[in-house]
Amino acid sequence: AAGASTQPPYGPDWPSNGAYINQAFQKTGWNNLALAHNNFYKKNQVTTDNSVWLVPPGNWSANMYGDGVPAMPFIPWEIDETGFMVWNLVSYYDATGDRAYLEEFYPTIKLATDFLADWRDPETGLQKPGHEVDNPVRTQTVFGAATTALALKNAARAAEILGRDEDMLVWTVRYEELKKAILENIYNPEKKCFVQPPFDSPDSNCDFNGLYVLWPTELILYDDPRADRKSVV
């Protein structure tokens, strides 16, 4: 799903790319294809009963063949992909209003979101380091932070719709904490840009991409001074 190429590593299904592909399906009326895609993700989420080496329960393999077999084991899972997947699963409800769908997929959403809520750096309030955007080294950047926030916000909304008040409260509180941590640890007010934490490191610079804070996360709005092109690109 990453591209037209059938050659690894682009031929397999990457959940992050799949989430965007589903947005296109839903915008153009191909909800049946988005649903089929989501059923694939529900079936292949890692759980205690459906384990995959080095992938924590609640997540997905970084990329998969059509039968769910991991396609690139040297990056076993990616935290940003899990965040994108929660957003994707909730977005199908937004496109269709299908409450029965949301009820059916809620356990999948909850398992992923509970993992992300618990994957917390106690020192900063950010997410703990994890694999992000094709990096075999675990990092702690705006990519994982923003997509974790994206998941928490959307999952809390799904919980509210279904009357799961306890989940909604836990995820909302964690979302607000993470949002604050992102703006405190990843936005450098002196350089006026989003950087890789810690932003006071001499290695941090404004080449670091922070576009995720605008969309789809919407941690800041386009008229926010921190959304200046030099800040986010």
Side-chain angles (χ1 to χ4, degrees):
S5 171
T6 59
Q7 296 179 349
Y10 290 112
D13 189 303
W14 296 68
S16 54
N17 294 278
Y20 282 103
I21 288 171
N22 278 6
Q23 303 311 302
F25 285 152
Q26 290 159 192
K27 292 291 185 183
T28 54
W30 292 91
N31 292 327
N32 60 320
L33 295 181
L35 179 58
H37 208 182
N38 286 347
N39 278 317
F40 170 81
Y41 291 129
K42 178 160 67 76
K43 178 182 178 181
N44 290 292
Q45 184 183 39
V46 175
T47 67
T48 54
D49 296 326
N50 182 36
S51 62
V52 174
W53 185 53
L54 297 179
V55 183
N59 297 275
W60 286 264
S61 298
N63 51 29
M64 298 167 280
Y65 293 114
D67 56 2
V69 172
M72 190 175 66
F74 62 88
I75 301 179
W77 65 285
E78 295 182 339
I79 190 172
D80 52 307
E81 292 200 298
T82 303
F84 275 131
M85 192 46 50
V86 172
W87 167 61
N88 163 61
L89 295 176
V90 177
S91 77
Y92 181 86
Y93 169 81
D94 295 332
T96 64
D98 187 342
R99 186 182 177 92
Y101 159 87
L102 195 60
E103 290 276 9
E104 178 186 346
F105 278 76
Y106 189 77
T108 303
I109 293 167
K110 176 173 169 58
L111 186 61
T113 309
D114 281 342
F115 172 85
L116 292 173
D118 291 340
W119 194 256
R120 176 182 176 277
D121 182 341
E123 294 186 5
T124 63
L126 291 168
Q127 81 288 358
K128 290 192 291 187
H131 299 291
E132 305 171 292
V133 287
D134 309 343
N135 193 341
V137 177
R138 291 194 179 195
T139 52
Q140 185 186 47
T141 75
V142 70
F143 295 114
T147 48
T148 297
L150 177 68
L152 290 163
K153 181 171 67 171
N154 281 274
R157 188 163 51 81
E160 182 178 20
I161 292 166
L162 296 179
R164 310 301 208 272
D165 294 343
E166 184 176 348
D167 288 342
M168 180 189 68
L169 178 60
V170 169
W171 296 338
T172 299
V173 169
R174 175 64 184 127
Y175 167 76
E176 294 295 341
E177 177 191 44
L178 180 56
K179 179 179 179 179
K180 182 174 183 288
I182 291 170
L183 297 179
E184 288 181 352
N185 291 278
I186 297 179
Y187 182 75
N188 186 329
E190 294 182 2
K191 295 181 178 179
K192 297 183 179 180
C193 64
F194 288 89
V195 298
Q196 183 169 341
F199 67 59
D200 56 355
S201 165
D203 297 327
S204 293
N205 59 66
C206 291
D207 292 334
F208 199 72
N209 191 319
L211 285 172
Y212 284 179
V213 300
L214 290 175
W215 190 86
T217 305
E218 296 180 338
L219 287 171
I220 61 174
L221 301 179
Y222 286 91
D223 59 357
D224 190 303
R226 292 169 294 190
D228 180 87
R229 185 177 184 278
K230 293 180 180 179
S231 297
V232 299
V233 178

